[in-house]
Amino acid sequence: MPTTAAARAGTDRAPIVKVVFASLVGTAVEWYDFFLYGSAAALVFGALFFPSSDPVTGTLLSFGTYALGFVARPLGGIVFGHFGDRVGRKKMLVVSLFVMGLATVAIGLLPTYASIGVAAPILLLACRLAQGFAVGGEWGGAVLMAAEHGDDARRGFWSSWPQAGVALGNLLATGILWLLALVQSDEAFKAWGWRVPFLLSAVLVLVGLWVRLSIEESPVFQQARAKLGDRTHQPLLEVIRRYPREVLIAMGMRLAENIGYYLVTVISITYLTTYAGSAADKSMILSALLIGSGVQFFVIPLVGALSDRVGRRPLYLIGAAGLAVWMYVFFDLIGSRDSGKIAIAVVVGLLLHTLMYAPQAAFFSELFGTSVRYTGASVGYQLASILAGALAPIIALKLLGDVGQPNTTAVAVYMTVASVLTIVAVLAARETARSSLNHDRTLD
């Protein structure tokens, strides 16, 4: 019986759908864990682990441990990228998810400063470093599994789903915190309620591991591995020697996207609860972030598909420029303490971020050759995270200054500088939409 075109399409689509689902679920779990820390740092960690400081200083110190998670991410990207380019993407994705789960559950079990003194923030730091190390290897593997299983014409769509997993992870983290804030008093939340989301991670990790263990290795990687044969292969050295320009481009492209995201999702919480309002406004900003993350989750694949039609660069440029402009009104809307205006501020900010974030996975994958793609994409992505996401909350709080007279214009200028650097990087990159992933300077 002859095979119809529709039947062949369905057969071809089944593996990629399964791989994309595995990448989506695993990424959502990893980033649920990672974002949960950021939200908790803004809400309770300052008081629980750095209680001798005033509120702003305590929050700065908690963001300091938050930032160190980003410092560990390039190391994770290098280690997981090295083995991901040598032994396979799938194995590294399973390991990264397991490490992240252990670190997050451990945070939920940590005694606070009141119980064990200075050992508490030290243990918190150790757990955060483990989180950063794990998530440093997560992103590259997840997007490459989707990109390398997919076809050239729809790579932007397929590889955007792991990016949607980041929004889903934030949605889960924010949703649980919002629910707890709704049903608990501030006293109960600080006493024990904040631990619940971290401990729930154990269930999510088990689900993610089960899904990831069921998928096949990337066929593009297997072909490149066969060509390499027994040749000595050092992915990091190959990236430095053959792809330095691409690493710098990827880092530049990350700046506006990463800084903008953390200003919208993390600093917004601190600004409303510490600078423009009070702890009583916590549920208001969490509700807005919940709505924004939900909208972003559904929009990311649509923008990813659009990037297959119009290209990666135009969308990226619009997103970078848009966030620079939006940040000048963002804090006024947040400071209004009006739930509708706060929701608009967050949703628009996340939509502009999506114009960069949705095509980013395909864009970065297409910049590097197969034998070094995991390492190259991860290093470019994660090194920028130190300069961008790690420092963004700290720099923003410093720029805001005193609680009585916050300088929101300075933060907007900070966003503008990041956007200009990203625009320069995008203009320096070639358009990669619909290009083949079967290229490799190491094998040429």
Side-chain angles (χ1 to χ4, degrees):
M1 183 175 180
T3 303
T4 65
R8 284 197 303 273
T11 302
D12 292 341
R13 189 177 298 116
I16 182 62
V17 170
K18 184 177 181 181
V19 168
V20 166
F21 178 71
S23 294
L24 170 67
V25 172
T27 302
V29 174
E30 287 253 15
W31 286 94
Y32 164 85
D33 292 350
F34 201 73
F35 284 132
L36 190 59
Y37 188 102
S39 297
L43 292 171
V44 297
F45 280 177
L48 294 175
F49 291 91
F50 307 96
S52 60
S53 306
D54 65 82
V56 173
T57 304
T59 303
L60 272 171
L61 289 172
S62 67
F63 277 147
T65 60
Y66 166 82
L68 285 171
F70 286 82
V71 174
R73 283 168 64 170
L75 178 60
I78 291 170
V79 172
F80 282 96
H82 174 85
F83 289 103
D85 282 328
R86 295 192 63 170
V87 304
R89 314 335 192 178
K90 174 182 173 179
K91 293 177 182 177
M92 294 303 101
L93 283 176
V94 171
V95 174
S96 71
L97 185 58
F98 184 71
V99 173
M100 176 64 89
L102 284 179
T104 305
V105 172
I107 291 174
L109 297 173
L110 282 182
T112 63
Y113 189 95
S115 299
I116 60 172
V118 72
I122 292 174
L123 290 173
L124 181 66
L125 170 61
C127 292
R128 183 58 177 174
L129 289 172
Q131 279 191 323
F133 180 77
V135 85
E138 160 66 23
W139 182 85
V143 301
L144 291 192
M145 285 294 280
E148 292 179 348
H149 274 86
D151 57 278
D152 296 343
R154 294 178 294 175
R155 186 177 303 118
F157 172 70
W158 292 123
S159 58
S160 69
W161 279 101
Q163 305 290 76
V166 177
L168 181 58
N170 198 16
L171 180 65
L172 291 172
T174 305
I176 291 177
L177 287 171
W178 174 82
L179 182 62
L180 289 172
L182 193 66
V183 301
Q184 285 186 318
S185 65
D186 284 342
E187 291 73 20
F189 184 77
K190 287 182 179 179
W192 61 271
W194 67 272
R195 298 182 183 275
V196 174
F198 289 93
L199 297 177
L200 282 177
S201 175
V203 177
L204 297 176
V205 167
L206 290 176
V207 174
L209 288 173
W210 175 71
V211 173
R212 284 194 167 174
L213 286 169
S214 68
I215 61 174
E216 299 296 326
E217 182 56 84
S218 157
V220 175
F221 165 76
Q222 291 176 324
Q223 292 168 13
R225 189 71 190 86
K227 288 181 181 179
L228 277 170
D230 296 329
R231 270 192 282 172
T232 302
H233 180 41
Q234 298 296 332
L236 180 60
L237 295 180
E238 291 294 330
V239 167
I240 295 171
R241 182 161 53 240
R242 299 180 186 273
Y243 295 92
R245 182 172 182 271
E246 285 78 4
V247 170
L248 291 175
I249 286 174
M251 290 177 65
M253 290 171 63
R254 279 279 282 160
L255 293 178
E257 173 266 308
N258 206 216
I259 289 171
Y261 188 77
Y262 287 102
L263 292 182
V264 172
T265 60
V266 176
I267 287 301
S268 61
I269 298 176
T270 302
Y271 181 70
L272 183 59
T273 58
T274 304
Y275 285 84
S278 65
D281 295 315
K282 179 175 59 181
S283 62
M284 194 182 298
I285 184 63
L286 289 176
S287 297
L289 289 169
L290 194 62
I291 295 169
S293 296
V295 171
Q296 188 176 38
F297 172 72
F298 288 104
V299 171
I300 283 177
L302 299 178
V303 176
L306 182 61
S307 77
D308 288 325
R309 298 178 64 87
V310 305
R312 323 292 190 214
R313 295 170 82 226
L315 299 177
Y316 222 105
L317 291 170
I318 294 170
L323 261 182
V325 174
W326 187 245
M327 204 50 61
Y328 285 93
V329 299
F330 177 80
F331 288 103
D332 287 339
L333 293 173
I334 296 292
S336 70
R337 300 178 69 182
D338 177 274
S339 58
K341 291 180 179 180
I342 292 172
I344 291 172
V346 171
V347 170
V348 172
L350 289 178
L351 287 176
L352 291 169
H353 170 264
T354 298
L355 293 176
M356 293 181 282
Y357 200 61
Q360 187 182 84
F363 212 156
F364 284 18
S365 299
E366 291 155 349
L367 290 175
F368 299 93
T370 305
S371 66
V372 299
R373 186 168 290 132
Y374 200 146
T375 301
S378 295
V379 168
Y381 186 94
Q382 304 300 353
L383 280 177
S385 296
I386 297 177
L387 301 174
L391 297 178
I394 297 172
I395 291 174
L397 282 179
K398 283 294 186 182
L399 292 174
L400 283 172
D402 296 334
V403 173
Q405 294 180 314
N407 187 355
T408 59
T409 301
V411 181
V413 171
Y414 170 48
M415 183 70 242
T416 300
V417 172
S419 292
V420 169
L421 293 173
T422 290
I423 288 170
V424 170
V426 174
L427 293 175
R430 61 183 177 84
E431 179 58 70
T432 59
R434 295 175 294 280
S435 63
S436 172
L437 286 182
N438 290 308
H439 63 89
D440 201 324
R441 294 173 195 168
T442 302
L443 300 177
D444 292 341

